[in-house]
Every structure is written in C-alpha cells, then in structure tokens.
C-alpha cells in the first residue's frame, strides 16, 4: 500500500490535478438492462463489467476508482490501465497523463494508493474530482519514471507467474477428480438408488448413506477466548478460540452468507452456525469428500432463492454414485502431492508480494 506520507518523502512531488487531464465529462453510464453486448469492453471502478456495442475512448488511459472501489483494501487495486476502444461508466475517473508523465509509471503509483484521506461520504465513500486532484505523486524525470515502472513490471510478472501456477494446480486437482470419478451426482440421476453398479466397488446410494452433515454451533465474538482453534464460518476463518468443538480433519459448507463455499481443515476446529460440517465421514476419505463437494452443484439445493441457505435435509437424500475407499485413498494421495506443490508456491508468492511492496515503497520515497 502506498500512502501520501510515504510519497511526501520523495524529493520531487506534484499533485495529480497538475499532471493529468480528467476526461470524466466523456464518460457515460449504461444500465445493464439497456446495454447491448458488443466487441468493446465496458469498464467500471474495479475493471471490466462486460461488453458493449460502442466506444467512448480509443487511447491508453488510467482509470481511478471514484466510488465502489477497494478503498479499505487498496492492495486489491484502486486504479488500472486501459487501452484501445472502450467505454467507461461514471464509477471511475478517466485520466490522461500530461507531458513528461509516463502512463505505466502513474499506474504503478496509483494502483495500490491509500485514497482514504481524500474520500467523502459516510455510508458510501466517494473520491470526487477535486479530492483526486489533490493526491500527491512522486514525479522524478521521465527516464527515471520509465526505469522504475520497468522494475515494478518485472517484479509483478514474477508474482503473476506464481499465481497462475497455483491456479493451474487447483485446476489439476479438479481434473484428477473428474478423470477418476466423473460427475457422481449427475450420473446418479440416470441410475436408480440401490441399483447394482457395473464398476467394481462402486455403489448407487443417497449422500446421507455415506456422510452425515450437521449444522454448526453458534458462537459470538464476545464468547470467543483467543486461542489456537479456528472458528470457521461460511466465508472462512472468522477468528480463533481456545476450545475445539470438532476434531479434524473437517469439511464444511457455507450454510448462510457464503452459501455453498467449501472449506477443508486438517486441525481441530469450531464450525460456526453459518456452516454445515461433516459430523461423520463413515470411513470415507475427508480429502475426497472435500473435493466431491467442490464439484457438487450446491446451488440446486438451496432452500430459498430470495434468502439462500443450505439445509442438510435437502442434501442427505441426493442420489450419488460412490467410489470405493481404496480409490478415494489413491485420489487423496495424488491431491496431497499437488497441494504440497501449491503450498510451496503460495509461500513463494507471499515472499514475492512482500518484495513487490518493498520495492514500491522504496521507489516512491525516492530510494530506488
């Protein structure tokens, strides 16, 4: 994250309004219902929002979030560069650099900038044009800007390579699952529960015959005593407690909130009331069950479209084709190897993210 206090340490500083031209007057919002899809990207505060059949801009520009941006977490990005024919709505400022300001450099300055000192509003933050114009940016000579941008581009490229590798490993685990097991839910719909399977060791049954799901136990933040035990809500780990409710490993599904989000935990844990957790694996491999639910069409079994939630009574009767334990164990061993590589790459990515942030800060303080 880049802050104004950090930037002010640079020996050469300008305010944004003096070095860019705002093209906000050319923006035009279009409701999604009125927007005709086409060959041109339609941009908002945080990136492309779909396509459209016309364009307003046709040049390299910088978009800076006006409202709806990731202002509380600028490391997610509050500015990004566009090029070519495009359309921008009224949730992003459109900036054209003036002479002696390198667009890729400006992008690197603003993409993770802490804009909170310049925001207005209480219920919904907004970065007005006048507020944006006062943002200080470091302004070394043009050649120095290009050098800094090139260094940051290289560091960012390393981060992206690691992230792509992690994403591909996740896809590999899914591919292994489908290669070994196919789609147990869709296939079961074509079978009758109880029908004799042609594949040795496989059975056609109901999901509740293989695992038992249970609603999590409510616990408020006031009741939590800080400790080593993760409290897992529908969205993930909420906080840590000093007491476990369930022994690990565990598989959990978001019941309310992040409905259907699937979590795997290897340690003892506390399942929050917003989850369903596997109370009894009945000799099935937990890692297989986790990946089974990652492929599971959970949205089909939500209790209400208006207020989505999951009910174990809707899931237990679902017909499935279930593989033998030996096959589950082989899958688990393969995926454990894949996950080991992913963890290593994740650790490397953490180091690269720290390195990138350090280089950013040094560059914009004038120390690079």
């Amino acid at each position: 994250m880049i802050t104004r206090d950090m930037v002010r340490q640079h020996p050469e500083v300008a305010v944004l309004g003096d070095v860019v031209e705002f093209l906000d007057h050319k923006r035009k919002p279009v409701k999604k219902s009125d927007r005709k899809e086409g060959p041109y990207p339609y941009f908002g505060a945080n990136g492309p929002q779909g396509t459209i059949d016309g364009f307003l801009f046709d040049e390299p520009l910088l978009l800076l979030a006006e409202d709806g941006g990731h202002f509380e977490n600028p490391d997610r990005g509050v500015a990004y560069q566009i090029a070519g024919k495009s359309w921008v709505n009224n949730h992003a400022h459109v900036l054209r650099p003036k002479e002696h300001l390198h667009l890729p450099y400006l992008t690197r300055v603003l993409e993770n900038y802490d804009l909170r000192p310049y925001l207005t509003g209480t219920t919904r933050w907004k970065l007005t044009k006048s507020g944006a114009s006062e943002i200080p940016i470091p302004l070394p000579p043009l050649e120095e800007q290009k050098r800094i941008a090139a260094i940051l581009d290289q560091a960012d490229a390393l981060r992206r390579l690691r992230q792509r590798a992690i994403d591909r490993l996740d896809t590999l685990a899914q591919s292994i699952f489908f290669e070994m097991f196919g789609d147990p839910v869709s296939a079961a719909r074509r079978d009758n529960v109880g029908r004799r399977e042609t594949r040795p060791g496989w059975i056609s049954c109901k999901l509740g015959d293989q695992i038992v799901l249970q609603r999590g136990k409510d616990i408020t933040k006031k009741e939590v005593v800080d400790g080593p035990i993760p409290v897992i809500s529908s969205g993930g780990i909420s906080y840590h407690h000093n007491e476990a409710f369930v022994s690990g490993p565990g598989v959990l599904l978001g019941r309310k909130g992040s409905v259907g989000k699937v979590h795997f935990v290897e340690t003892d844990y506390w399942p929050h009331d917003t989850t369903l957790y596997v109370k009894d694996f009945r000799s099935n491999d937990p890692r297989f069950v986790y990946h089974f639910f990652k492929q599971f069409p959970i949205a089909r079994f939500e209790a209400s479209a208006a207020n989505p939630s999951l009910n174990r009574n809707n899931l237990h009767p679902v017909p499935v084709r279930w593989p033998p334990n030996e096959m589950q164990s082989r899958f688990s061993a393969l995926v454990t190897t894949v996950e080991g590589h992913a963890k290593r790459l994740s650790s490397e990515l953490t180091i690269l993210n720290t390195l990138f942030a350090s280089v950013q800060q040094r560059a914009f303080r004038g120390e690079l």
Side-chain angles (χ1 to χ4, degrees):
M1 182 170 67
I2 305 302
T3 67
R4 62 179 180 180
D5 292 336
M6 184 188 305
V7 168
R8 285 170 176 167
Q9 297 177 42
H10 197 281
E12 301 166 279
V13 178
V15 294
L16 188 62
D18 290 342
V19 293
V20 303
E21 180 183 357
F22 283 82
L23 304 180
D24 293 1
H25 60 284
K26 294 185 176 182
R27 302 175 305 181
K28 186 177 179 181
V30 182
K31 291 181 181 178
K32 189 173 182 179
S33 57
D34 297 333
R35 199 165 71 230
K36 294 181 180 179
E37 292 187 5
Y40 309 111
Y42 180 85
F43 291 106
N46 302 309
Q49 306 293 308
T51 63
I52 196 168
D53 61 348
F55 64 93
L56 302 174
F57 303 95
D58 187 12
E59 60 181 300
L61 297 165
L62 180 69
L63 302 189
L64 176 65
E66 179 173 343
D67 55 20
H70 303 302
F71 297 130
E72 289 186 332
N73 186 12
D75 285 333
R76 292 182 62 186
V78 292
Y80 59 97
Q81 191 173 321
I82 64 171
K85 295 179 171 65
S86 59
W87 192 297
V88 182
N89 67 22
N90 60 342
H91 296 296
H93 295 293
V94 183
L95 310 181
R96 175 195 286 155
K98 293 182 179 178
E99 192 177 5
H100 304 307
L101 179 57
H102 187 48
L103 177 58
Y105 171 81
L106 179 63
T107 303
R108 291 301 183 189
V109 173
L110 292 178
E111 63 184 347
N112 303 129
Y113 209 109
D114 183 4
L115 300 172
R116 285 174 290 184
Y118 305 96
L119 302 177
T120 60
T122 52
T123 58
R124 183 176 174 86
W125 280 343
K126 184 181 180 69
L127 178 66
T128 64
K129 179 181 175 181
S130 59
S133 297
E134 296 302 315
I135 297 171
I137 65 166
L139 195 65
L142 184 60
E143 289 306 312
E144 181 69 4
Q145 295 175 34
K146 292 179 179 179
R147 184 183 72 86
I148 290 171
I151 292 172
L152 290 171
D153 285 348
Q154 291 176 9
D156 192 30
L158 289 174
R159 297 193 307 165
R160 293 179 185 276
L161 283 172
R162 288 296 184 279
Q163 186 60 61
R164 280 201 295 272
I166 293 168
D167 293 342
R168 286 174 179 172
L169 285 173
D170 185 57
T171 302
L172 176 59
Q174 297 177 41
S175 299
I176 294 171
F177 184 93
F178 279 111
E179 179 68 25
M180 293 183 68
F181 307 112
D183 184 347
V185 176
S186 295
R189 284 206 177 94
R190 299 191 295 269
D191 298 336
N192 295 318
V193 172
R195 174 188 169 187
R196 186 174 180 179
E197 276 286 344
T198 57
R199 299 178 69 178
W202 285 66
I203 59 172
S204 291
C205 59
K206 295 178 181 178
L207 180 60
D209 296 334
Q210 293 298 325
I211 61 165
V212 177
L213 291 164
Q214 178 64 47
R215 180 170 167 171
K217 183 175 174 60
D218 193 23
I219 182 170
T220 65
K221 196 168 184 178
K222 291 181 180 179
E223 297 173 304
V224 171
V225 179
D226 192 37
I229 304 300
V231 178
I232 303 176
S233 64
S234 63
I237 296 175
S238 297
Y239 21 81
H240 286 78
H241 192 36
N242 68 340
E243 181 182 347
F245 185 68
V246 182
S247 297
V251 175
L252 304 93
L253 310 178
R255 185 184 70 83
K256 279 190 171 182
S258 300
V259 177
K261 192 169 182 180
V262 188
H263 307 282
F264 181 77
V265 58
E266 297 189 81
T267 62
D268 295 348
Y269 65 100
W270 186 293
H272 193 269
D273 180 61
T274 56
T275 67
L276 294 175
Y277 70 97
V278 179
K279 182 179 180 181
D280 188 352
F281 286 97
R282 293 184 175 171
S283 79
N284 290 293
D285 187 285
R287 193 168 256 100
F288 164 78
V289 173
Y290 166 65
H291 282 276
F292 170 85
F293 277 117
K294 286 190 74 173
Q295 325 300 331
F296 192 84
I298 289 173
R300 298 179 192 170
F301 303 97
E302 291 175 0
S304 168
N307 187 20
S309 63
L310 274 185
N311 188 319
R312 64 174 185 161
N313 293 329
N314 292 340
L315 295 177
H316 282 164
V318 175
V320 294
R321 295 172 65 247
W322 206 257
N325 289 355
E326 181 273 332
M327 196 173 183
Q328 295 180 32
S329 297
R330 281 195 288 118
F331 168 79
S332 181
L334 287 170
V335 170
T336 299
T337 301
V338 172
E339 290 174 350
H341 290 306
K343 286 178 182 178
R344 176 180 58 79
L345 290 173
S346 294
S347 297
E348 293 177 3
L349 180 59
T350 299
I351 294 170
L352 288 171
N353 284 336
T354 302
L355 175 63
F356 181 80
S358 175
V359 174
Q360 265 189 325
Q361 292 166 15
R362 289 181 57 201
F364 303 139
R365 286 196 302 257
E367 300 173 357
L368 189 60

